[in-house]
Amino acid sequence: MNSELIDSLVIDGQTRIIFLIMDGLGGLPKGERRLTELEAARTPNLDSLARESVCGLLDPIAPGITPGSGPAHFALFGYDPLKYNVGRGFLSAAGVDFPMDRRDLYARVNFATVSKDGLILDRRAGRIDTETNRRLCQRLSETVRLSADVQVFFAPEKEHRALLVLRGDDLHEEIADTDPQQLGVLPLSPRPLADRAKRTALLLEELLIQAGGVLAAESRANMILLRGFARYRPFPSLAERFRLKPLAIAAYPMYRGIAQLLGMDVLRDVDTLAAQFAALKNYYDRYSFFFFHVKGTDSSGEDGNYDRKVAAIEEVDSYIPTVCALKPDVLVVTGDHSTPAALAAHSWHPVPALLSAATCRPDEVDRFGERDCLRGGLGRMPTMNLMALALAHAGRLTKYGA
């Protein structure tokens, strides 16, 4: 869908839209379990909502393409995920409120566990606690020094995730990830993907050697993996494009970072699902668009934990009456991408979605699940089209043409 067309049709309104995003929602059967995690979950409230809504399946990027979290979220908010794709490091920097400078190069850090031979044993270092992360970032920031006139910063995000910032002149983002996203192999070298990035790659090689030395005595987080190299760039906001006053309610820094880049107000102290839903209720009268992000569905899928993902979905379902009691003009429930526990990773499978509004045409879906949504009235469509449908059902798009 042409985003410029949608932007040109937006009108002011008093209606409210909620996007309830269960990260990594889509799943697969695993082992003897013949249902996906969503299909296996007991979701009486989501099922009831589905019967009153229009349902379907979403392709975050395109059929067969496995998306990262960044482009998948940009698509949810109506931004072309190919045009607006950025490295994950930039999103991390925004998420932790790092004071950005146009000379900065950002990268996402995973603390990892490697063997004596340097082979990766755990890409997430056993999901170390955030306090350990904070301690390690401080040590790295105080110890790592590059030979060139480049400053080095490490900042904690959450658990095993952190941010690396290089600040200096002539730094470039065309660098290959050092995270192979596999176990039992060596970390990759920060290979330059363009001639102009050769100096940056050499600086990163030097940094990784030093970081390995600093972390060598750690039992779990004894190495770092880098990915998502990115420089700063501006984005048009949801207020500019859609005349919305948006609020993000997300526990994890990277998703707050995406929201902040798109001009959303961001809540910080919402580390539990209960706190997030309480915040939705408390702030409901102050905003017209709500991005509500649930992380547990994704992290359990990445860990290959089918039962925990089922439990995370069921916990969200228990709060659906709280959301419906607010009487939003449009309520969307979906995910940014699929993270099946069977694969323990993001996947290319389309994501189940429901859209509830007074103007919905009823379809035949009576349960919220992948196979059920396949027969829904939304059909199968690009995620990027979702925002336009939400705006239309909220009465915020005018007619096109005479």
Side-chain angles (χ1 to χ4, degrees):
M1 181 175 293
N2 186 302
S3 59
E4 287 77 15
L5 170 62
I6 300 303
D7 294 8
S8 70
L9 300 177
V10 171
I11 57 176
D12 291 318
Q14 300 300 313
T15 48
R16 288 181 171 82
I17 302 170
I18 297 175
F19 272 29
L20 174 52
I21 306 303
M22 284 186 270
D23 201 306
L25 176 61
L28 288 173
K30 183 180 182 183
E32 296 181 355
R33 301 175 175 99
R34 302 316 304 158
L35 302 175
T36 71
E37 298 92 330
L38 178 58
E39 292 169 342
R42 294 182 296 275
T43 54
N45 298 306
L46 283 168
D47 295 344
S48 176
L49 187 62
R51 287 190 284 272
E52 302 170 359
S53 306
V54 60
C55 298
L57 294 171
L58 304 177
D59 285 301
I61 311 300
I65 304 300
T66 298
S69 295
H73 274 82
F74 286 128
L76 281 170
F77 303 129
Y79 291 72
D80 185 334
L82 301 181
K83 178 179 178 182
Y84 288 101
N85 187 32
V86 296
R88 194 153 183 162
F90 183 30
L91 304 178
S92 295
V96 300
D97 287 333
F98 188 84
M100 296 185 186
D101 186 290
R102 291 187 178 274
R103 299 165 66 229
D104 291 346
L105 175 68
Y106 309 107
R108 165 74 173 273
V109 175
N110 263 29
F111 285 104
T113 307
V114 298
S115 69
K116 292 180 180 179
D117 298 325
L119 302 179
I120 299 170
L121 302 177
D122 187 336
R123 294 179 51 248
R124 302 180 181 93
R127 293 192 184 273
I128 56 172
D129 60 84
T130 304
E131 188 54 43
T132 300
N133 182 328
R134 189 173 292 109
R135 172 177 64 82
L136 296 179
C137 282
Q138 183 174 346
R139 281 186 58 201
L140 289 166
S141 294
E142 293 171 349
T143 307
V144 174
R145 295 290 180 270
L146 297 180
S147 57
D149 186 19
V150 175
Q151 294 177 276
V152 179
F153 306 93
F154 286 87
E157 285 192 65
K158 197 176 181 74
E159 297 175 335
H160 59 282
R161 306 170 184 88
L163 166 71
L164 166 66
V165 182
L166 300 187
R167 178 169 292 169
D169 295 323
D170 195 32
L171 298 173
H172 297 281
E173 64 186 8
E174 296 91 348
I175 303 290
D177 295 350
T178 73
D179 183 356
Q181 302 201 29
Q182 296 180 48
L183 301 181
V185 298
L186 293 169
L188 301 173
S189 297
R191 179 170 51 88
L193 302 177
D195 286 344
R196 67 176 187 170
K198 289 180 178 178
R199 171 177 171 269
T200 306
L202 290 173
L203 290 169
L204 289 165
E205 288 269 21
E206 183 181 349
L207 179 144
L208 288 169
I209 292 170
Q210 293 188 41
V214 172
L215 299 173
E218 295 291 325
S219 60
R220 290 190 292 173
N222 59 359
M223 192 53 189
I224 59 172
L225 304 174
L226 305 177
R227 58 189 172 117
F229 295 94
R231 298 292 304 271
Y232 175 82
R233 61 177 291 188
F235 289 80
S237 71
L238 267 72
E240 293 167 339
R241 293 191 60 198
F242 306 134
R243 304 188 195 180
L244 295 170
K245 185 178 181 183
L247 176 69
I249 305 173
Y252 273 66
M254 196 198 79
Y255 308 100
R256 298 198 297 253
I258 294 171
Q260 193 162 303
L261 291 177
L262 300 184
M264 300 188 206
D265 289 347
V266 177
L267 294 184
R268 300 286 167 183
D269 299 320
V270 286
D271 289 335
T272 67
L273 207 55
Q276 288 181 262
F277 280 104
L280 176 64
K281 182 177 179 180
N282 292 338
Y283 285 85
Y284 188 69
D285 292 335
R286 308 184 203 180
Y287 293 88
S288 59
F289 180 86
F290 300 86
F291 163 42
F292 190 108
H293 181 267
V294 177
K295 180 60 177 174
T297 39
D298 183 58
S299 55
S300 54
E302 287 184 332
D303 289 344
N305 195 323
Y306 181 100
D307 292 334
R308 198 172 82 221
K309 184 173 177 182
V310 169
I313 294 168
E314 291 178 348
E315 185 180 9
V316 173
D317 183 79
S318 71
Y319 285 100
I320 292 299
T322 301
V323 180
C324 292
L326 297 173
K327 300 187 185 305
D329 298 281
V330 176
L331 170 60
V332 170
V333 181
T334 187
D336 56 337
H337 54 73
S338 294
T339 308
L343 300 179
H346 293 196
S347 78
W348 60 94
H349 299 89
V351 187
L354 69 79
L355 187 154
S356 173
T359 51
C360 284
R361 286 178 177 167
D363 57 25
E364 296 182 354
V365 174
D366 57 7
R367 193 183 186 286
F368 190 48
E370 284 87 345
R371 274 169 272 214
D372 302 272
C373 287
L374 186 61
R375 337 182 249 112
L378 290 178
R380 180 170 173 176
M381 68 178 187
T383 298
M384 187 180 152
N385 293 351
L386 183 64
M387 179 60 87
L389 279 174
L391 291 167
H393 281 286
R396 287 177 173 265
L397 293 182
T398 190
K399 181 175 65 173
Y400 171 67

